[in-house]
Amino acid sequence: MKVGLLFGLLWLLLGNPFVAILVLLLLLYFLDRSFIGIFPSFMKPIRRSRRLSKVLQDIRERPFDVSAKQEAARLYMEKKRWGDARRLLEEIMPAMEHSAEVTCDLGICRVKTGDLEQGERDILRALEMNPRVRYGEPYLRLAEALAPMDSERAVAALQRFREANSSSCEFYYKLGRLYDALGKKPDAKAAYAEAVDVYRALPKYKRKTERRWALLSAARNAVG
């Protein structure tokens, strides 16, 4: 009702319903980004692409810059360009073989590009070096890859993930989605409910970044 009233006022002021809709959508987007956080940021991908271009230029100028290649690989992973990230990580692996983060990232990229066996070995080795590496993400990525072919191993990886990460609404939402894919509806509902419970226990300063996942979880739980 309030949105309809606001649209009517904008239409009256601007004299064009299409412009009024556009202004209303922009207003709702900026209000969401400021106070709620459901919609994704339009600027984040742009900033990421700009940063990636800068880092790739640094690599062209300094081909042996390991830290630049590691950063570029992580940016590629954020863009889901797993093959490009894998290539860079394999280049720096000889110099970073004792890094749990690099080993873990390479394992995730190998899993994502179809090399499940070697990727799993990399992930498990990274977790041996540092059980808290990437705060449980390796278990989730491994479970996603295992789910279509070995549901029991996927569930085991999810349980390990649950032990490694207990304060991320995003991860519990993705956990529920994976349980849904496995046909484990009660476990999925429990994961969605846990995401909401985690959100309620978070301090106020951290709630904005987790609110989107808590709301998505609540919606999934309601329709499930």
Side-chain angles (χ1 to χ4, degrees):
M1 187 66 180
K2 291 180 180 179
V3 174
L5 179 60
L6 180 58
F7 170 68
L9 290 172
L10 288 171
W11 187 354
L12 183 64
L13 288 171
L14 299 172
N16 186 310
F18 299 106
V19 175
I21 290 173
L22 179 61
V23 172
L24 179 61
L25 290 175
L26 287 173
L27 180 61
L28 291 174
Y29 173 78
F30 285 116
L31 286 173
D32 172 82
R33 292 306 302 166
S34 298
F35 302 107
I36 302 175
I38 297 177
F39 299 140
S41 170
F42 289 148
M43 293 304 298
K44 188 175 180 180
I46 296 173
R47 288 194 295 266
R48 183 191 298 129
S49 294
R50 286 176 178 171
R51 180 59 188 166
L52 179 58
S53 296
K54 172 66 169 61
V55 176
L56 291 176
Q57 180 61 37
D58 291 342
I59 292 172
R60 284 190 288 271
E61 294 173 359
R62 301 188 300 277
F64 301 105
D65 190 333
V66 171
S67 62
K69 288 184 178 181
Q70 183 180 357
E71 183 180 358
R74 195 65 196 173
L75 291 167
Y76 275 135
M77 291 176 71
E78 291 178 10
K79 292 166 72 71
K80 301 188 187 307
R81 292 174 59 176
W82 307 107
D84 291 321
R86 175 178 175 171
R87 174 180 54 80
L88 288 172
L89 291 167
E90 286 176 341
E91 287 180 13
I92 68 173
M93 194 62 204
M96 302 290 288
E97 60 181 341
H98 299 299
S99 167
E101 285 199 358
V102 172
T103 304
C104 175
D105 286 349
L106 179 55
I108 290 172
C109 290
R110 282 174 169 162
V111 164
K112 288 292 187 179
T113 53
D115 192 354
L116 180 58
E117 187 175 341
Q118 182 58 52
E120 183 176 8
R121 283 198 295 266
D122 292 334
I123 288 172
L124 294 177
R125 187 163 72 89
L127 290 164
E128 285 179 6
M129 287 189 278
N130 178 8
R132 297 289 296 172
V133 65
R134 296 293 182 210
Y135 303 101
E137 181 186 2
Y139 291 119
L140 187 61
R141 299 303 182 195
L142 188 56
E144 288 172 347
L146 289 169
M149 60 192 73
D150 193 332
S151 61
E152 292 303 317
R153 287 175 66 201
V155 170
L158 289 175
Q159 294 302 329
R160 295 291 298 276
F161 157 74
R162 185 186 293 271
E163 296 167 8
N165 192 305
S166 61
S167 61
S168 168
C169 299
E170 177 183 0
F171 277 125
Y172 278 114
Y173 171 76
K174 292 180 178 178
L175 180 65
R177 295 290 287 150
L178 192 51
Y179 274 134
D180 272 333
L182 293 171
K184 296 179 177 291
K185 298 299 182 182
D187 290 324
K189 286 183 68 68
Y192 295 139
E194 194 157 4
V196 175
D197 289 342
V198 166
Y199 175 78
R200 288 172 178 159
L202 290 173
K204 289 184 178 180
Y205 73 88
K206 197 175 179 182
R207 285 188 175 185
K208 182 182 175 182
T209 57
E210 297 290 338
R211 189 172 292 128
R212 175 172 183 252
W213 306 107
L215 290 172
L216 288 172
S217 296
R220 286 279 174 184
N221 213 11
V223 301

